[in-house]
Amino acid sequence: MKSIDRLKKVKDLLFVEREEDFYQYKEQFLRASVEQRKKNGATWFPIQILSNELGYADYVHLEIERTNNLDMPHQFSAGKNVSLFSNKNPDEVQEISGTIKQCSKNKMKIIIHTDDLPDWCYDGRLGVNIQFDDNSYIEMQKALDEVIGARNNRVEELREMIEGTEIPTFNKIDESVLIPQLNNSQNKAVRHILSANDIAVVHGPPGTGKTTTIVQAIRLVLQNEKQILVCAPTNTAVDLITEKLIEQGVNVLRVGHPARVSEGLLKATIDGQIQSHANYKDIKSLRKTAEEYFKMAGKYKRAFGKEDAKQRALFYAEARNCIKESRLLEDYIVSSLFENAQVISCTPVASSNKALANKHFSTLFFDEASQALEAISWIPLLKCKRVIFSGDHFQLPPVVKSSRAKQEGLAETMLDRCIKHLTISTLLTRQYRMHQHIMQFSNHYFYNNELEADATVKETVLSLNEDMDILNIPVELIDTAGCSFDELQNPETLSLSNVGEANLVFRHLELLLQHYQFSGEEQKLSIGIISPYKEQIELLKEKLVEFDYSGFPVSELAVKTIDGFQGEERDVIYISLVRSNENSEIGFLSDIRRMNVALTRAKKKLVVIMDTSTIGNHPFYKSFIEYCEKNGFYKSAWEYNYDV
């Protein structure tokens, strides 16, 4: 069968991807010295334990602090898996795994996956490493096995529909459904969702109100269904749609490790809702008693005699009994939370949570589906009878590290496959983010000129003052060709930077802010600076520290990668494309879907800095250059009296 053969290949490619992922991890972490890992930001060493206590689910909660290299950037962040290690014994590296709960510049809170710290943790010479996470690969392989083996059931039907060998069906559209706060294309999308029996796709280009539309559709579906599963491939995307649903009064249970959920939504998590439950005071009392026993046991750091060992074991037994009682209460509360929630929201991997093991849903809403591998999309879909995908296959694709796996099709998503079936998809056509000229290039190149800018944003610029081009022209392409702004490669990270472009960004920004202040406009500006290269991001961040904008009307100034700005918007966006070489090599700038994201973040002003002699041979960038020249948006770096 065609679908089964293809999915078997997907499974093989997933194995290739896992091997490449692990290889990169080994190269960066395992084979590097501690000093090199510290420099890479993948290790803290040495560290000291500031506190430890027994917490939720019988896990030890640690707070640690690094004691040197305090100003060195690092890769640690909430939600990542880590290993606490000791290298005091040169013959045997001892380690134990955990998950980061909170992380700041030099301190970290870790939930250790055990109820007792090993003795070696008290002997000094401790450090923390980022750990390879295999769980998502395990869950994807399990899901693919189930899909491949499906016969004469709903999974088989959905598999064949996604393959294109069976046609999804729709009921007659109810034209009476009309939500006043939505526009025509959004209402059409809601009616499309309500009529779908199997699969529907809402294609939401940048700024078209995709999340708003999906939230309204969920609200209507809940009139006929008791509970809905909502997923997205990133915790950030899950948090966004969860927040919007809560604003609409929907009872949402946000499932996921507390370390991976945004601070503002912790009350919607299992832990958060347990803490607001009437029985929580009893749980808290039992935990406190357990903690006291745990501390008493902890005084016996080394059990030299039988009596000491016996006493220590007794204290631990009492602590565990208290924890056991508290967990019975927790299980009762958790069961009622899952029973009563209208929406359960999570990432695809989190949908394999044991609390969801036996749950089934009529409908899955899968947001940002363009970023999700097909294999990961199957994890929640196996629990559901129908699926509503939303996203944009012209924006960020899934991350695939293996070039072979990518070339052979692993990056193709369910959304990519489904959108080929014309009856499944509906397009949102009115965008509310950006000036029409910021929108128009992407509109022409990707969206067949079907988008229109809403009247509220269509002609919005920083200032209408005709004497200030820097403020009233919505797009600028600043060409650095001939300026000798050569790219530089970091020999360790192999990433690229461009000092000339970085200087030009802040020179132009300073001019823009000076003119904006002089114009008399009162609204403070939000500004974003984007580059596809991490090395350039680091350089731009260094220069941002030196750039004093405190006297200017700026509400926010952020420097991020393209992925970091996904789903976000700013009044002004700068894009530094970095590449400048004699061979016209542009590397992953050829990923035009990623560039589409970058070009559509700005609301009032977009500034793109590039060397057209290097980048302009690629058809996408050639079209963009021609668009800018045609509309009077093209400028040379020399026009800013830039000292090259």
Side-chain angles (χ1 to χ4, degrees):
M1 192 178 286
K2 181 183 174 185
S3 61
I4 291 175
D5 290 341
R6 187 183 62 79
L7 287 168
K8 284 179 177 177
K9 184 180 179 184
V10 169
K11 188 180 174 185
D12 291 340
L13 292 175
L14 193 63
F15 179 77
V16 172
E17 172 67 6
R18 190 259 176 213
E19 290 297 295
E20 175 62 25
D21 196 2
F22 188 56
Y23 171 78
Q24 291 185 18
Y25 168 77
K26 285 192 295 185
E27 288 296 304
Q28 189 173 6
F29 304 130
L30 303 185
R31 293 180 185 170
S33 66
V34 169
E35 288 304 313
Q36 186 59 52
R37 294 202 307 268
K38 284 163 68 174
K39 193 173 180 182
N40 291 340
T43 295
W44 284 7
F45 181 86
I47 58 104
Q48 62 178 348
I49 296 176
L50 299 178
S51 66
N52 74 84
E53 61 183 19
L54 196 63
Y56 177 68
D58 220 354
Y59 289 157
V60 174
H61 290 223
L62 278 187
E63 184 175 17
I64 65 164
E65 180 178 40
R66 59 175 169 177
T67 56
N68 63 14
N69 301 108
L70 301 184
D71 295 322
M72 191 172 286
H74 60 78
Q75 299 181 38
F76 295 95
S77 60
K80 286 192 175 181
N81 290 334
V82 294
S83 61
L84 181 71
F85 70 89
S86 169
N87 61 3
K88 188 167 187 179
N89 182 353
D91 298 323
E92 180 188 5
V93 176
Q94 296 162 307
E95 63 181 359
I96 189 168
S97 63
T99 303
I100 300 173
K101 169 64 177 171
Q102 291 177 351
C103 191
S104 60
K105 190 175 182 182
N106 295 306
K107 289 184 180 180
M108 195 186 303
K109 289 184 179 179
I110 307 171
I111 299 175
I112 300 294
H113 304 153
T114 181
D115 61 1
D116 185 18
L117 280 181
D119 288 338
W120 53 261
C121 291
Y122 301 98
D123 294 340
R125 291 193 64 79
L126 295 178
V128 176
N129 283 328
I130 288 177
Q131 207 172 43
F132 183 74
D133 185 6
D134 211 20
N135 186 49
S136 60
Y137 290 105
I138 292 169
E139 294 300 332
M140 284 190 282
Q141 294 281 5
K142 281 166 57 178
L144 286 175
D145 284 339
E146 187 171 341
V147 178
I148 289 167
R151 299 291 185 277
N152 303 316
N153 58 15
R154 185 57 174 161
V155 174
E156 182 191 22
E157 291 173 354
L158 289 170
R159 181 187 72 204
E160 297 310 313
M161 289 176 194
I162 289 165
E163 190 65 34
T165 53
E166 287 189 18
I167 306 300
T169 63
F170 292 83
N171 296 322
K172 185 179 179 182
I173 288 179
D174 184 355
E175 298 290 350
S176 68
V177 174
L178 184 66
I179 301 170
Q181 60 266 42
L182 299 186
N183 64 42
N184 288 338
S185 68
Q186 290 171 330
N187 270 304
K188 181 183 175 184
V190 170
R191 292 192 288 268
H192 181 66
I193 289 167
L194 296 178
S195 71
N197 294 317
D198 311 294
I199 301 169
V201 173
V202 176
H203 181 190
T208 53
K210 171 178 61 66
T211 303
T212 299
T213 305
I214 294 303
V215 165
Q216 291 301 321
I218 290 170
R219 194 177 58 79
L220 290 185
V221 171
L222 282 170
Q223 293 178 3
N224 296 309
E225 297 178 19
K226 184 186 176 187
Q227 198 171 66
I228 289 171
L229 181 61
V230 173
C231 284
T234 66
N235 282 290
T236 303
V238 177
D239 286 345
L240 175 63
I241 197 164
T242 300
E243 188 179 329
K244 298 291 185 186
L245 285 164
I246 291 171
E247 287 173 4
Q248 291 291 315
V250 178
N251 177 8
V252 187
L253 182 62
R254 172 69 167 93
V255 176
H257 199 298
R260 297 186 173 101
V261 179
S262 70
E263 207 61 39
L265 287 173
L266 286 175
K267 287 184 179 179
T269 64
I270 298 170
D271 281 356
Q273 294 197 35
I274 286 173
Q275 289 178 18
S276 60
H277 197 276
N279 289 69
Y280 180 63
K281 63 181 185 297
D282 300 323
I283 294 173
K284 198 173 181 182
S285 175
L286 286 164
R287 280 188 193 166
K288 188 175 181 182
T289 305
E291 190 178 325
E292 289 169 0
Y293 280 122
F294 181 71
K295 285 179 179 176
M296 286 189 281
K299 292 176 182 177
Y300 296 88
K301 292 179 183 177
R302 292 195 177 280
F304 293 106
K306 287 186 178 179
E307 287 302 314
D308 288 344
K310 187 176 179 182
Q311 190 62 47
R312 185 186 189 196
L314 187 62
F315 284 141
Y316 274 128
E318 289 297 331
R320 289 191 184 96
N321 282 336
C322 290
I323 290 292
K324 186 177 180 181
E325 285 186 51
S326 72
R327 285 170 72 178
L328 286 172
L329 266 175
E330 285 173 4
D331 289 345
Y332 163 75
I333 295 171
V334 169
S335 177
S336 66
L337 292 177
F338 275 96
E339 182 65 27
N340 296 322
Q342 292 176 285
V343 167
I344 294 174
S345 66
C346 57
T347 61
V349 174
S351 72
S352 61
N353 183 296
K354 63 180 181 180
L356 287 168
N358 298 315
K359 289 195 76 70
H360 294 277
F361 305 85
S362 293
T363 304
L364 165 66
F365 279 83
F366 200 118
D367 196 18
E368 302 294 358
S370 61
Q371 296 180 54
L373 292 173
E374 179 177 6
I376 212 165
S377 303
W378 275 115
I379 300 171
L381 185 49
L382 288 170
K383 300 176 180 294
C384 305
K385 294 178 181 176
R386 70 167 183 157
V387 58
I388 312 300
F389 291 116
S390 54
D392 181 8
H393 56 298
F394 295 128
Q395 292 191 62
L396 289 182
V399 174
V400 177
K401 295 182 178 180
S402 163
S403 55
R404 179 194 152 192
K406 190 172 185 177
Q407 287 168 5
E408 295 188 25
L410 187 63
E412 185 178 39
T413 68
M414 280 193 187
L415 183 70
D416 293 331
R417 300 192 68 79
C418 291
I419 213 154
K420 295 173 186 174
H421 314 318
L422 298 179
T423 58
I424 293 180
S425 176
T426 183
L427 178 72
L428 302 180
T429 57
R430 184 176 290 269
Q431 69 86 13
Y432 297 87
R433 173 180 297 160
M434 63 201 103
H435 189 285
Q436 59 184 339
H437 290 317
I438 299 174
M439 172 196 78
Q440 191 51 44
F441 173 71
S442 287
N443 187 22
H444 173 72
Y445 200 94
F446 294 103
Y447 304 110
N448 199 31
N449 289 319
E450 292 187 71
L451 303 186
E452 59 178 330
D454 189 72
T456 56
V457 299
K458 189 175 182 180
E459 297 180 350
T460 306
V461 289
L462 294 174
S463 173
L464 294 173
N465 189 322
E466 293 181 2
D467 297 326
M468 295 185 180
D469 285 356
I470 199 168
L471 301 182
N472 62 43
I473 295 177
V475 180
E476 279 187 63
L477 164 58
I478 305 179
D479 187 3
T480 65
C483 292
S484 298
F485 288 178
D486 296 333
E487 64 190 51
L488 298 171
Q489 186 174 54
N490 183 320
E492 291 179 0
T493 65
L494 302 182
S495 186
L496 298 163
S497 63
N498 191 313
V499 177
E501 282 195 12
N503 289 333
L504 181 53
V505 165
F506 286 99
R507 168 64 177 149
H508 187 281
L509 176 57
E510 185 176 30
L511 284 172
L512 184 144
L513 290 176
Q514 287 171 351
H515 281 79
Y516 189 74
Q517 194 170 43
F518 184 73
S519 73
E521 298 286 341
E522 295 183 1
Q523 182 185 345
K524 288 190 173 184
L525 297 179
S526 59
I527 300 165
I529 303 175
I530 297 176
S531 179
Y533 291 93
K534 289 183 179 178
E535 197 69 21
Q536 184 75 345
I537 292 294
E538 292 305 315
L539 176 60
L540 289 163
K541 284 181 176 178
E542 288 175 16
K543 293 193 175 295
L544 178 58
V545 172
E546 302 166 2
F547 183 71
D548 182 13
Y549 59 92
S550 56
F552 293 113
V554 176
S555 61
E556 181 181 11
L557 209 173
V559 177
K560 297 181 186 179
T561 61
I562 296 173
D563 296 45
F565 273 107
Q566 168 75 354
E568 297 189 18
E569 59 188 27
R570 298 290 188 275
D571 294 317
V572 182
I573 287 286
Y574 285 84
I575 305 174
S576 169
L577 292 181
V578 176
R579 299 311 299 259
S580 180
N581 56 71
E582 294 178 355
N583 302 319
S584 297
E585 293 176 359
I586 68 168
F588 61 73
L589 290 190
S590 57
D591 184 351
I592 61 174
R593 288 166 60 171
R594 198 164 245 100
M595 282 310 304
N596 184 35
V597 173
L599 293 170
T600 53
R601 299 305 98 194
K603 294 159 66 176
K604 301 175 182 178
K605 178 80 176 183
L606 171 67
V607 182
V608 182
I609 299 173
M610 73 160 84
D611 180 345
T612 59
S613 65
T614 297
I615 300 173
N617 292 325
H618 188 284
F620 174 80
Y621 296 98
K622 184 181 179 184
S623 295
F624 180 69
I625 294 164
E626 290 171 352
Y627 171 74
C628 291
E629 289 174 337
K630 178 183 175 183
N631 289 280
F633 302 150
Y634 174 90
K635 293 182 182 291
S636 168
W638 299 99
E639 293 183 44
Y640 289 96
N641 300 317
Y642 195 85
D643 183 11
V644 297

